Amino acid sequence: MSKRALITGITGQDGSYLAEFLLDKGYEVFGMVRRSSMEKFDRIDHIKDKIEIRQADLLDQMSLINLVDDIKPDEIYNLAAMSFVPTSWTQPVLTAQFTAIGVTRVLEAIRAVNPKIKFYQASSSEMFGKVKTIPQHEETPFHPRSPYGVAKVYGHWITVNYRESYDIFGVSGILFNHESPRRGIEFVTRKVTYNAAKIKLGITDELKMGNLDAKRDWGFAGDYVKAMWLMLQQDKPEDFIISTGKTHSVKNLVETAFSSLDLDYKEYVKLDKKFIRPAEVDLLIGDPGKAKKILNWEPETSFEQLIDMMVKSDIELVKKEYNL
């Protein structure tokens, strides 16, 4: 009999790639969405006839219990969150409700319905914030620098807590930045590739950016969802850092995107103070050694391949949007 998986946040970047991956593995895939006028399904349009979409809400305990009881999944992947860091400064309480308390509600639903369900929690490198070690590994202490990071730390530790207290197979994947053509336009990588495409096609002539010196460990989301699945196939539940172990600056990102279109970024990029965060995180670079050793996982897509893939996708998108 095929396994059943429930993905919260299935309409997001990671949810769509994970759904594709699990379908290829022969899973029955269920996606949880909120009843919302804003819900966008464009990332899963191409697979919507192969998955089943259900409504429930991380803010509503009973809806989660009823959903889990109805679907009876073997695995739950909790990818839903208020995931845009700058928004967490303007909506810190709502961020805590979704990204922190929401995790507890899913775990409570598992405990109430069937404690044998395996649970994956999407943790984040933003939990490290003001970093204590470079690179960061599974034992590095957390010092989050945004309401989002703080909420993710709660989600991480409550998962550990339920694992130790109730013997639930709960794991956290501490994912470093992972991007793709499906990344939201508000994220820095996509902001750069989309606007580089618009500049190349003559739609606009400048790109306003914040801190170009900020560095991140960027990988491809399609590679990272495989690691999520691998974590739930192990004999014992453990947390893992998923990253490339390599770091690139925002300036490097801009340069790579623009040069792939034969453009000199210096002619178009302008600095704007409003895009600088109240508290910037330090050098986020993950050590994926444990994942390589135990999960036999490593990233397959290079930084340059990733940015090139995103730029090409955005050129096509902009052509379509502007009827070029």
Side-chain angles (χ1 to χ4, degrees):
M1 219 172 84
S2 57
K3 278 189 180 176
R4 294 182 153 214
L6 169 62
I7 303 171
T8 75
I10 195 167
T11 58
Q13 168 189 259
D14 294 9
S16 65
Y17 280 109
L18 179 62
E20 283 174 354
F21 179 85
L22 294 175
L23 286 170
D24 284 345
K25 292 274 175 203
Y27 277 65
E28 278 183 72
V29 176
F30 296 81
M32 183 187 110
V33 298
R34 299 174 65 211
R35 183 169 164 73
S36 156
S37 56
M38 294 291 289
E39 203 61 70
K40 285 169 69 192
F41 293 90
D42 51 325
R43 293 186 184 98
I44 53 169
D45 263 347
H46 62 296
I47 51 169
K48 66 173 186 285
D49 57 336
K50 297 176 186 164
I51 59 182
E52 204 171 310
I53 298 294
R54 297 289 185 89
Q55 284 185 352
D57 199 314
L58 287 180
L59 304 186
D60 181 6
Q61 183 69 67
M62 274 319 291
S63 73
L64 293 170
I65 290 173
N66 291 337
L67 179 67
V68 173
D69 191 36
D70 187 32
I71 291 174
K72 299 184 171 44
D74 299 285
E75 299 169 358
I76 295 178
Y77 296 84
N78 184 41
L79 310 185
M82 180 80 89
S83 63
F84 186 48
V85 176
T87 303
S88 78
W89 291 101
T90 53
Q91 297 183 306
V93 177
L94 192 61
T95 298
Q97 283 290 346
F98 276 115
T99 309
I101 310 297
V103 185
T104 317
R105 292 194 187 101
V106 179
L107 286 163
E108 276 294 285
I110 289 172
R111 200 162 76 90
V113 176
N114 176 11
K116 294 277 178 279
I117 295 168
K118 291 185 171 185
F119 175 73
Y120 172 87
Q121 166 60 13
S123 284
S124 164
S125 59
E126 290 280 335
M127 301 190 305
F128 294 118
K130 196 170 174 58
V131 302
K132 303 290 190 279
T133 63
I134 296 173
Q136 292 85 56
H137 49 78
E138 285 79 5
E139 306 308 317
T140 300
F142 301 133
H143 186 147
R145 301 269 278 169
S146 66
Y148 171 77
V150 173
K152 279 291 185 187
V153 170
Y154 176 98
H156 180 88
W157 282 117
I158 202 72
T159 302
V160 172
N161 211 266
Y162 273 62
R163 176 166 79 213
E164 293 174 353
S165 306
Y166 302 118
D167 202 25
I168 283 171
F169 193 112
V171 301
S172 281
I174 306 172
L175 270 57
F176 279 66
N177 293 61
H178 47 291
E179 316 297 318
S180 76
R182 298 178 197 172
R183 188 47 131 167
I185 208 89
E186 70 276 17
F187 287 84
V188 69
T189 44
R190 192 65 205 296
K191 175 182 169 178
V192 169
T193 60
Y194 180 71
N195 282 288
K198 281 174 78 174
I199 288 167
K200 180 69 178 177
L201 294 168
I203 309 295
T204 184
D205 59 2
E206 71 169 19
L207 166 59
K208 290 182 175 174
M209 295 293 291
N211 180 11
L212 290 184
D213 296 323
K215 290 182 176 172
R216 293 289 185 277
D217 181 333
W218 277 301
F220 172 48
D223 293 343
Y224 285 34
V225 297
K226 182 181 181 183
M228 300 177 184
W229 175 77
L230 284 168
M231 281 182 225
L232 293 191
Q233 312 316 308
Q234 302 307 302
D235 292 333
K236 63 174 184 160
E238 287 184 75
D239 304 326
F240 290 90
I241 287 214
I242 305 300
S243 68
T244 67
K246 295 174 185 155
T247 182
H248 297 271
S249 66
V250 175
K251 184 178 175 181
N252 193 203
L253 158 69
V254 170
E255 211 166 356
T256 305
F258 277 75
S259 66
S260 79
L261 294 169
D262 298 319
L263 297 171
D264 179 358
Y265 80 93
K266 290 181 192 136
E267 291 176 27
Y268 308 98
V269 174
K270 307 279 183 283
L271 293 183
D272 188 334
K273 288 198 171 92
K274 81 168 184 232
F275 293 115
I276 294 175
R277 289 185 188 185
E280 181 57 83
V281 294
D282 296 333
L283 182 52
L284 288 176
I285 172 169
D287 175 0
K290 183 182 172 187
K292 284 182 180 178
K293 189 175 158 198
I294 296 175
L295 302 178
N296 201 19
W297 175 88
E298 34 196 312
E300 292 162 29
T301 312
S302 73
F303 175 74
E304 291 73 21
Q305 286 170 326
L306 169 65
I307 302 307
D308 189 53
M309 177 201 310
M310 292 175 70
V311 168
K312 283 182 175 143
S313 168
D314 277 328
I315 284 280
E316 293 312 309
L317 180 69
V318 172
K319 281 181 181 171
K320 208 159 122 191
E321 283 177 351
Y322 290 89
N323 296 316
L324 299 175

